[in-house]
Amino acid sequence: MAGRKETALDLAKFVDKGVQVKLTGGRQVTGTLKGYDQLLNLVLDEAVESEREQDDPLKLSTKTRQLGLIVCRGTAVMLVSPTDGTDEIANPFLAADAAA
């Protein structure tokens, strides 16, 4: 090794692009990735938090909250995915459960 620790995730290709970040505690934030470090601390600009349903905390509601420029602490980051090229699809298993 050359003394530099490799990160498990190469976020350089997502800088200045839209990303969706899922955090511990169920929060979900979408924004433009402006920077990151080896501890997975993320800087997001124009960040928007998607709020959860009151009666079902596993479902996202249509309500959002504008956050602006934020720092997501690396210890809270569970998932980072690009917003471009991802679409929400219907759950194919729900139809199979209804038929059974």
Side-chain angles (χ1 to χ4, degrees), residues 11-65:
L11 293 174
K13 57 187 168 191
F14 298 128
V15 173
D16 290 327
K17 294 190 171 78
V19 293
Q20 182 177 25
V21 181
K22 291 191 180 184
L23 304 168
T24 57
R27 290 186 170 204
Q28 185 168 320
V29 181
T30 305
T32 305
L33 182 65
K34 290 295 182 181
Y36 65 96
D37 65 8
Q38 70 273 14
L39 299 175
L40 208 59
N41 296 313
L42 306 176
V43 178
L44 298 178
D45 195 12
E46 300 171 4
V48 178
E49 179 183 4
S50 301
E51 295 184 12
R52 300 254 170 216
E53 292 284 346
Q54 292 292 338
D55 56 338
D56 187 1
L58 297 177
K59 283 184 150 181
L60 288 176
S61 73
T62 56
K63 290 186 196 176
T64 59
R65 189 167 67 147

Side-chain angles (χ1 to χ4, degrees), residues 1 19 42-43 50 58 60 64-65 71 75 79 82 84 88 91 94 96-97 99:
M1 282 193 174
V19 293
L42 306 176
V43 178
S50 301
L58 297 177
L60 288 176
T64 59
R65 189 167 67 147
V71 174
T75 56
L79 175 87
D84 292 339
E88 187 172 338
N91 187 342
L94 288 180
D97 288 344

